[in-house]
């Protein structure tokens, strides 16, 4: 085993973190215990080590007392390892002559017993002091960054992020699995709280995306596999066949008229099944790209062969229809990835007491968004499934939200969109509208004002959860909403013609697969997790992968756009540096010890190890620093910077040498 | 299973557990348990490694030789390893290692491999509590009678 590099002079700093650490760990006792450890020439405790004065203290002590190693016991290294390495470096010694001890997240915050927490802090500091003696001077690794970016998901989040990057001169691949970009926002008529027309603000952005020379849109596409690392991600994209050649189709839509189907027979996905479409169709009038798509499930050419092929005939010399199209793949290289895969609405039939799918009068909010939309299935008039116009409407909040049996979280947008729908429905039908809410949540710019406005318009607000929705006696076609009015302290039964369920926002059904593909994490609700809830809200634990929009958690359009801008800015900051600095934690071979047994070669998932002249050689650029080969080498011939065997053995000994 | 700290009384035995946690998952789960102010038994001492694949069986032998009562290895769920498959290498090694140790007469509760993702702070808490309880019940680690002295085996004897 190697000896430590002489007997370096070590300084130990114990942080109080205000009272976050000091209230559970006896910092003075810990400071004193550290002082007596071999090699420690100085031990201090300080209120906030990460503050400027705290860092200055380290720099000062390095100069004044000739410290050669520094140990800081404070929070998680994920938060401040960089900070302290910086201070150590500025103090004049190699920044890697530093070790951080986590006595907050791993100690003071998770224990109550002061004696036990203090003992634990002592053990961890002893380990770090023993370890840091072995640290070698290191330099961060610099790797170049590919300036291209991939944005996955073409909702408002993906659109905004892609445009921001493209306007900054970056090449962007925008991957969308539907035939058109636009996401949920494209389905809305108006948006709260300002009631701007969704199409009027979204369509120009979609058109810009289409026209932008720096953006390549890949619709009907999904990411199949991601390999590589930040700065150099290799992404394999799968393109599903559209059966229409995108570059040849001019969007004249003549083929749709010419289709042998006189009327549509297939439920229209974009209208949530409230209308029917033909086998050849355009998802919605403003679709981008303006290209038709053929549904092979519905088109008779695919089932039986269509003798006439009227679509092909009318397309004539444009020749855009291609029944032979197959799945294709593309492999692209990008430096950074922005995930903007959005949400799915809660499936209302999961709560049978509200009658969705069973009672004709019951609609989801998203369906009503389509009904009120001028380009929707009814061209904006509120016509119920039975052909009538409602004179009374109940809107039920929090469907699938704030309930332990479904989702515990609040979906954040439902109160506001319910108010919006109440306003729009009132405007269009002059019906009596009853909103059943649990708590009215309107915390946003102009939100409370909007609530007041809707109240003034005569919408009735009933505070209480609807327990049951059932048909009114006597076959009236109406349904009764039964709820306990918690303000009036009575049970109400209100018959209405139409019920709107304010369904919550859930992660996409394939969020788990996407998470895995991009090697990021999901929180308990299933949404993607940001690196830090406050300080790194658009980053993930995988460097170079950023989050934007509702895939990270329920949010409205203004927040989505803000986050998309932030994700684009983070990606730009990464790319524009031209290179990134990585932890120098690569493995290397001690040639004299290597027996050439090849055990390590098979261990490396990145093919970084080869055998040259009978000895293992590790390619430093390919090595990602997992250390699997180090653990596997039977002759102890592979070492890993920052995680040397000796360093870890010293930590083991340190935590076990109780005083 | 206790949800709170176990207070040490003079006579009571409190096990020391050495925990090797992957930087990308279990270490972060422990951070999250902290930020969520969950409470769990204070017996484990966490040593950070970049991947569970870095855990050399010698580390485990060494921990027992130096006085640990239990060893916990935490890695990413199968398929989620930051380095693709370090965790499967860890699992393979662990299976052999645990067999070697149990053959020597070491109780299997003393050595544990757990897949705990960065989001699973509650699982981390439960594993910490459970392991402390189990080992407390077993008593301090002692090499079974007749077993060879606890010197770490030479590298060649350790499953790769
Ligand atoms: C009924 C209702 C009404 C609302 N009204 C308003 C309102 O008035 N005002 C307001 O501010 N907010 C409103 N919201 C909230 C608004 O919908 C969201 O803030 C917004 O849609 C979030 O945008 P996004 O781009 O993150 O997600 P989405 O709009 O969901 O877009 C995600 C996109 O990613 C694509 N995608 C998903 N997974 C993949 C994959 N694996 N590969 C490729 N592509 C993928 C999807 O096809 C989709 O195009 C409302 C929400 C609902 C449910
Ligand atoms: S990175 Fe966590 S186990 Fe490999």
């Amino acid at each position: 085993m190697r000896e430590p590099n002489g007997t370096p002079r070590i300084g130990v700093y114990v942080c109080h973190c205000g009272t976050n650490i000091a209230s559970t760990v006896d910092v003075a006792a810990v400071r004193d215990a550290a002082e007596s450890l071999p090699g420690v020439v100085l031990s201090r405790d300080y209120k906030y080590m990460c503050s400027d004065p705290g860092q200055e203290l380290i720099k000062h002590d390095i100069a004044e007392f000739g410290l050669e190693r520094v140990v800081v016991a404070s929070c998680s290294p994920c938060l401040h390892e960089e900070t302290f390495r910086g201070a150590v470096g500025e103090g004049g010694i190699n920044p890697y002559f530093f070790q951080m001890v986590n006595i907050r997240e791993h100690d003071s915050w998770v224990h109550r017993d002061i004696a036990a927490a203090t003992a634990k802090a002592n053990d961890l500091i002893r380990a770090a002091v023993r370890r840091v003696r072995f640290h070698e001077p290191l330099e961060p690794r610099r790797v170049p960054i590919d300036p291209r970016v991939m944005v996955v998901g073409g909702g408002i989040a993906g659109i905004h992020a892609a445009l921001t990057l493209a306007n900054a001169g970056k090449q962007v691949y925008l991957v969308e699995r539907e035939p058109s970009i636009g996401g949920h926002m494209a389905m809305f008529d108006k948006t709260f709280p300002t009631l701007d027309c969704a199409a009027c603000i979204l369509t120009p952005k979609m058109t810009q995306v289409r026209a932008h020379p720096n953006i390549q849109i890949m619709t009907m596409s999904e990411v199949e596999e991601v390999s590589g690392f930040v700065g150099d991600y290799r992404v394999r994209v799968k393109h599903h066949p559209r059966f229409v050649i995108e570059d040849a189709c001019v969007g004249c839509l003549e083929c749709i008229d010419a289709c042998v189907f006189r009327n549509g027979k297939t439920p229209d996905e974009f209208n949530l099944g409230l209308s029917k479409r033909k086998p050849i169709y355009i998802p919605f009038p403003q679709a981008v790209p303006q290209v038709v798509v053929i549904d092979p499930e519905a088109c008779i050419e695919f089932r039986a062969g269509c003798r006439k092929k009227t679509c092909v005939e009318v397309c004539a010399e444009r020749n855009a229809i291609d029944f032979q199209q197959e799945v294709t793949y593309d492999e692209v290289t990008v430096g950074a990835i922005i995930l903007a895969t959005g949400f799915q609405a809660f499936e209302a039939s999961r709560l049978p007491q509200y009658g969705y799918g069973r009672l004709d009068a019951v609609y989801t909010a998203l369906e009503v968004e389509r009904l009120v939309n001028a380009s929707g299935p009814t061209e904006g008039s509120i016509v119920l499934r039975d052909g009538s116009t409602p004179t009374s409407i109940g809107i039920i909040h929090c469907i699938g939200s704030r309930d332990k049996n479904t989702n515990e979280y609040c979906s954040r947008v439902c109160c506001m969109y319910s108010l919006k729908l109440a306003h729009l429905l009132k405007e269009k039908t002059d019906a009596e509208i009853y909103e059943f809410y649990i708590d009215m949540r309107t915390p946003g710019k102009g939100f409370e004002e909007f609530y007041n406005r809707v109240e003034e318009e005569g919408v009735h607000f009933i505070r209480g959860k609807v327990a049951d929705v059932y048909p009114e006696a006597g076959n009236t076609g109406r349904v009764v909403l039964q709820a306990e009015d918690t303000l009036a302290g009575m049970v109400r039964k209100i018959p209405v013609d139409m019920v709107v369920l304010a369904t919550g926002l859930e992660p996409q059904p394939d969020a788990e697969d996407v998470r895995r593909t991009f090697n990021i994490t999901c929180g308990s609700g299933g949404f993607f997790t940001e690196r830090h809830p406050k300080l790194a809200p658009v980053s993930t634990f995988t460097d170079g992968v950023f989050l934007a929009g509702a895939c990270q958690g329920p949010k409205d359009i203004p927040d989505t756009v803000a986050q998309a801008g932030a994700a684009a800015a983070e990606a730009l900051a990464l790319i524009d540096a031209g290179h990134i600095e990585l932890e120098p934690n690569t493995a290397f071979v001690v040639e004299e010890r290597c027996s050439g047994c090849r055990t390590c070669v098979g261990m490396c998932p990145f093919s970084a190890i080869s055998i040259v002249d009978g000895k293992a050689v590790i390619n430093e650029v390919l090595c990602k620093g997992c250390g699997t080969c180090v653990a596997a080498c039977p002759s102890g011939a592979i070492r890993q910077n920052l995680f040397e065997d000796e360093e870890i053995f010293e930590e083991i000994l340190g935590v076990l040498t109780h005083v | 299973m206790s949800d709170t700290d176990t207070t040490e009384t003079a006579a009571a035995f409190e096990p020391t557990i050495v925990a090797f946690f992957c930087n990308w998952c279990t270490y972060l789960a422990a951070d999250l348990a902290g930020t969520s102010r969950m409470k769990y038994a204070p017996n484990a001492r966490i040593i950070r490694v970049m991947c569970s694949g870095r855990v050399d069986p010698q580390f485990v032998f060494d921990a027992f030789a130096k006085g640990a009562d239990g060893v916990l290895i935490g890695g990413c769920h199968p398929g989620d390893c930051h380095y693709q498959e370090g965790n499967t290498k860890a699992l393979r090694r662990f299976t052999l290692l645990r067999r070697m140790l149990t053959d020597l007469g070491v109780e299997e509760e003393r050595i544990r491999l757990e897949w705990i993702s960065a989001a699973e702070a509650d699982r981390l808490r439960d594993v910490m509590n459970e392991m402390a309880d189990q080992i407390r019940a077993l008593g301090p680690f002692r090499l079974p009678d007749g077993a060879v002295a606890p010197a770490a085996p030479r590298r060649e004897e350790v499953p790769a």
Side-chain angles (χ1 to χ4, degrees):
Chain A
M1 189 180 282
R2 286 182 312 127
E3 283 305 311
N5 316 314
T7 39
R9 298 167 62 81
I10 305 171
V12 176
Y13 298 84
V14 184
C15 181
H16 298 202
C17 192
T19 54
N20 280 301
I21 293 171
S23 62
T24 320
V25 170
D26 182 344
V27 284
V30 170
R31 176 205 60 210
D32 290 346
E35 192 136 50
S36 63
L37 294 172
V40 173
V41 295
L42 171 153
S43 174
R44 292 186 194 275
D45 62 298
Y46 190 73
K47 205 140 188 88
Y48 289 108
M49 278 311 295
C50 63
S51 67
D52 279 348
Q55 296 182 52
E56 282 306 319
L57 201 58
I58 298 176
K59 293 185 218 169
H60 166 268
D61 289 348
I62 292 174
E64 177 86 14
F65 300 100
L67 298 184
E68 295 161 300
R69 297 287 188 281
V70 172
V71 170
V72 176
S74 54
C75 51
S76 170
C78 296
L79 281 178
H80 278 306
E81 190 169 51
E82 279 311 304
T83 314
F84 294 124
R85 273 186 188 158
V88 169
E90 282 169 32
I93 56 177
N94 186 281
Y96 296 92
F97 284 163
F98 166 74
Q99 179 69 13
M100 190 152 174
V101 187
N102 186 339
I103 58 167
R104 191 179 74 173
E105 284 82 347
H106 290 190
D107 192 7
S108 69
W109 275 351
V110 288
H111 306 313
R112 288 201 184 92
D113 181 341
I114 294 181
T118 305
K120 184 169 179 179
N122 282 335
D123 285 354
L124 294 173
I125 292 175
R126 197 181 314 102
V129 166
R130 295 195 70 96
R131 167 194 230 278
V132 81
R133 299 177 302 150
F134 285 86
H135 282 204
E136 300 274 356
L138 298 168
E139 295 287 330
R141 285 187 292 154
R142 284 165 71 97
V143 294
I145 297 197
D146 191 297
R148 290 167 289 190
V149 182
M150 173 167 288
V151 177
V152 184
I156 182 62
I159 289 172
H160 187 75
L163 278 176
T164 308
L165 287 160
N167 288 339
K170 303 299 170 211
Q171 197 70 42
V172 181
Y173 301 102
L174 178 57
V175 180
E176 167 58 56
R177 69 167 163 217
E178 298 296 330
S180 169
I181 60 170
H184 283 97
M185 189 175 168
M187 301 168 96
F188 308 153
D189 183 45
K190 299 262 167 43
T191 55
F192 66 73
T194 45
L195 298 178
D196 334 49
C197 139
C200 314
I201 52 180
L202 183 64
T203 313
K205 287 188 87 110
M206 289 169 59
T207 317
Q208 277 174 44
V209 168
R210 175 175 53 182
H212 210 298
N214 290 343
I215 301 179
Q216 184 178 340
I217 308 179
M218 299 173 166
T219 45
M220 305 190 72
S221 301
E222 279 166 296
V223 170
E224 177 130 303
E225 200 187 325
V226 180
S227 60
F229 264 71
V230 55
D232 183 31
Y233 282 113
R234 312 281 159 87
V235 189
R236 190 171 150 85
V237 185
K238 180 178 187 178
H239 308 292
H240 296 278
R242 185 187 271 274
F243 303 110
V244 173
I245 300 164
E246 260 186 51
D247 293 335
C249 175
V250 295
C252 66
L253 311 186
E254 284 171 32
C255 51
I256 301 180
D257 287 336
C259 177
V260 290
F261 281 81
R262 278 281 190 79
N263 296 304
K265 287 210 164 72
T266 313
D268 185 330
E269 295 84 352
F270 195 76
N271 284 333
L272 303 155
L274 294 173
S275 65
K276 302 267 200 282
R277 61 156 173 77
K278 293 187 180 180
I280 188 161
Y281 66 105
I282 185 135
F284 55 102
Q286 304 87 346
V288 166
Q290 272 286 314
V291 175
V292 293
V293 48
I294 296 177
D295 173 0
E297 302 283 315
C299 172
I300 48 171
E301 168 66 20
F302 288 88
R303 284 185 296 163
C306 176
R307 267 195 309 125
K308 287 171 100 179
K309 293 193 182 57
T310 45
C311 55
V312 179
E313 271 168 29
V314 69
C315 193
E317 73 278 5
R318 285 166 293 207
N319 238 326
I321 291 168
D322 177 5
F323 292 115
Q324 312 307 323
Q325 269 186 2
E326 286 176 5
V327 169
T328 56
Y329 294 90
D330 252 326
E331 183 118 4
V332 297
T333 306
V334 294
I337 296 168
I338 294 177
L339 290 178
T341 50
F343 67 95
Q344 68 169 331
F346 176 81
E347 174 50 55
S349 57
R350 275 167 61 192
L351 296 174
Q353 65 269 38
Y354 299 116
Y356 181 74
R358 186 162 45 84
L359 302 173
D360 273 351
V362 182
Y363 291 79
T364 66
L366 219 42
E367 288 171 342
V368 179
E369 291 285 353
R370 294 310 298 151
L371 284 183
V372 295
N373 196 306
S375 59
T378 53
E379 284 161 359
S381 42
I382 310 304
V383 185
L384 299 183
R385 291 189 177 96
D386 65 5
S388 67
T389 301
T391 56
S392 56
I393 302 170
I395 302 179
I396 311 178
H397 286 217
C398 300
I399 303 292
S401 308
R402 305 183 65 203
D403 180 348
K404 283 235 154 57
N405 300 318
T406 52
N407 295 305
E408 205 181 334
Y409 56 82
C410 163
S411 290
R412 277 187 62 188
V413 294
C414 321
C415 280
M416 281 305 291
Y417 78 56
S418 296
L419 291 171
K420 170 185 77 176
L421 291 177
H423 165 86
L424 294 174
L425 289 168
K426 184 108 193 144
E427 190 179 64
K428 287 185 186 263
T429 63
D430 202 28
E432 287 303 324
I433 299 187
Y434 304 90
E435 290 226 20
F436 294 85
Y437 68 100
I438 307 177
D439 296 294
M440 189 58 77
R441 297 193 165 172
T442 54
K445 209 171 180 177
F447 285 16
E448 187 72 12
E449 294 89 324
F450 186 71
Y451 173 27
N452 292 336
R453 168 176 168 189
V454 175
E455 201 163 22
E456 277 158 25
E457 286 170 358
V459 171
H460 310 287
F461 290 92
I462 299 164
R463 186 173 189 274
K465 197 163 185 174
V466 173
D468 202 8
V469 178
Y470 54 88
E472 192 180 39
N475 238 338
T476 59
R478 303 210 291 186
V479 294
V480 180
L481 302 183
Q482 183 181 322
E484 184 177 336
D485 183 332
T486 54
L487 291 181
M490 58 184 284
V491 172
R492 286 191 191 268
K493 292 180 181 171
I494 300 179
V496 292
D497 299 321
M498 179 188 195
V499 178
V500 184
L501 301 180
T503 45
L505 275 53
E506 284 196 329
Q508 289 280 6
D510 63 343
E512 180 60 25
D513 299 332
V514 174
R515 174 193 80 69
R516 192 154 280 198
T517 305
F518 293 92
N519 210 330
I520 59 165
T521 46
C522 286
S524 42
F527 291 101
F528 301 148
T529 323
E530 62 283 4
R531 189 175 194 122
H532 191 279
K534 299 177 189 79
L535 302 179
V538 299
S539 307
T540 64
F541 285 108
T542 300
D543 288 331
V545 177
F546 302 98
L547 304 176
C551 64
Q552 181 259 347
K555 55 177 69 68
D556 59 15
I557 296 164
D559 284 1
T560 296
V561 171
Q563 205 187 20
E570 294 277 356
L572 272 177
L574 177 77
I575 291 171
D576 275 352
H579 67 270
I580 28 164
E581 297 202 331
L582 296 179
E583 281 277 284
N585 54 14
T586 42
F588 58 98
V589 179
V590 183
E591 214 187 291
E592 312 84 79
R593 291 228 203 143
C594 176
S595 65
C597 72
R598 314 185 73 93
T599 306
C600 53
V601 178
M603 287 287 147
C604 182
F606 307 104
S607 311
I609 314 183
S610 49
I611 302 285
V612 178
D613 297 334
K615 302 274 184 191
V617 177
I618 298 179
N619 178 330
E620 210 212 356
V621 177
L622 295 179
C623 174
K624 305 302 174 208
C626 62
T628 304
C629 59
V630 192
C633 175
S635 348
I638 310 184
R639 290 168 50 185
Q640 182 187 10
N641 284 319
L642 287 174
F643 294 91
E644 301 254 18
D645 277 352
E646 290 81 2
E647 291 168 352
I648 296 170
F649 282 125
E650 288 295 328
E651 282 193 74
I652 297 170
L653 185 58
V655 294
L656 292 168
T657 318
H658 304 291
V659 259
Chain B
M1 196 186 307
S2 76
D3 196 52
T4 54
D5 286 2
T6 35
T7 13
E8 222 166 322
T9 57
F13 157 68
E14 276 304 327
T16 307
I17 298 164
V18 175
F20 298 99
F21 283 176
C22 158
N23 176 63
W24 303 102
C25 49
T26 317
Y27 191 91
L28 296 175
D31 276 4
L32 180 62
T35 23
S36 322
R37 307 300 197 279
M38 291 177 178
K39 302 294 174 212
Y40 58 80
N43 303 68
R45 304 289 180 261
I46 298 170
I47 295 177
R48 182 161 69 127
V49 286
M50 291 311 287
C51 172
S52 61
R54 174 67 182 96
V55 180
D56 190 324
Q58 289 205 101
F59 297 165
V60 178
F61 288 116
D62 195 58
F64 281 119
K66 301 275 162 56
D69 302 300
V71 173
L72 170 63
I73 302 169
C76 308
H77 285 269
D80 285 354
C81 175
H82 199 71
Y83 308 99
Q84 295 171 19
E85 50 197 30
N87 52 1
T88 56
K89 306 280 165 28
L91 175 63
R92 219 185 295 159
R93 247 179 239 147
F94 173 82
T95 315
L96 287 168
L97 177 69
R98 178 137 103 170
R99 197 184 306 148
M100 266 176 90
L101 286 166
T102 46
D103 284 353
L104 279 171
V106 176
E107 300 90 341
E108 63 171 18
E109 291 87 344
R110 291 193 191 273
I111 159 143
R112 200 155 155 174
L113 171 68
E114 288 290 339
W115 308 136
I116 303 177
S117 81
E120 295 173 318
D122 48 346
R123 231 182 101 58
L124 176 107
R125 173 198 59 201
D126 295 348
V127 168
M128 289 289 206
N129 283 333
E130 193 179 288
M131 204 168 169
D133 286 347
Q134 287 175 345
I135 301 182
R136 198 177 298 113
L138 289 176
F141 172 77
R142 237 177 284 116
L143 254 200
D145 292 340
V148 207
R154 280 152 38 80
R155 275 190 173 263
E156 297 81 74
E157 296 163 6
V158 170

